Amino acid sequence: MEKFILAFIVGGAICVIGQLLMDGLKLTPAHTMVTLVVSGAVLGGFGLYDDLVKFAGAGASVPISSFGNQLVKGALQEAQKTGIIGVLTGIFKITSSGISAAIIFGFLSALLCKPKG
């Protein structure tokens, strides 16, 4: 039960930060998303985001900031194995399933909902 509460609090805090960015700084949703991805990447680069995931579980691994962390983690892992070219290949290696799912489910929802514009 404690894990669920921690996940709810941390995930909710990340969402609150995003909402405050949009309301307080008048950032667009796209700018807010990029800010959260970059902040996850920076925290991941310093090795702090993995500690947050260990502490909060899904509360830290589900939000968009986790995507930034995964990008950096993949780049660093592959860079150690294959050198500088690994930075590019590692990004896609570790995040390809998430990117593919976003494309597939976005396409399917577009077919079902018939968006305008």
Side-chain angles (χ1 to χ4, degrees):
M1 184 69 167
E2 180 183 318
K3 283 272 193 191
F4 295 119
I5 294 169
L6 285 175
F8 179 78
I9 290 171
V10 172
I14 292 170
C15 292
V16 166
I17 291 168
Q19 193 65 49
L20 289 173
L21 288 171
M22 286 192 291
D23 292 345
L25 299 178
K26 303 295 184 204
L27 294 180
T28 65
H31 287 107
T32 302
M33 182 180 68
V34 168
T35 301
L36 291 173
V37 170
V38 169
S39 60
V42 169
L43 290 173
F46 287 117
L48 300 173
Y49 205 87
D50 288 335
D51 293 335
L52 184 62
V53 170
K54 287 177 191 169
F55 175 72
S61 64
V62 172
I64 192 73
S65 53
S66 178
F67 183 69
N69 176 48
Q70 292 299 317
L71 290 171
V72 169
K73 186 187 290 187
L76 292 175
Q77 285 175 355
E78 284 298 308
Q80 288 177 344
K81 291 179 188 174
T82 61
I84 193 72
I85 195 70
V87 171
L88 296 174
T89 60
I91 288 172
F92 296 111
K93 190 179 223 180
I94 201 165
T95 60
S96 61
S97 60
I99 294 169
S100 299
I103 292 169
I104 291 167
F105 289 118
F107 176 74
L108 291 175
S109 67
L111 286 177
L112 294 172
C113 298
K114 298 186 181 11
K116 297 176 181 112

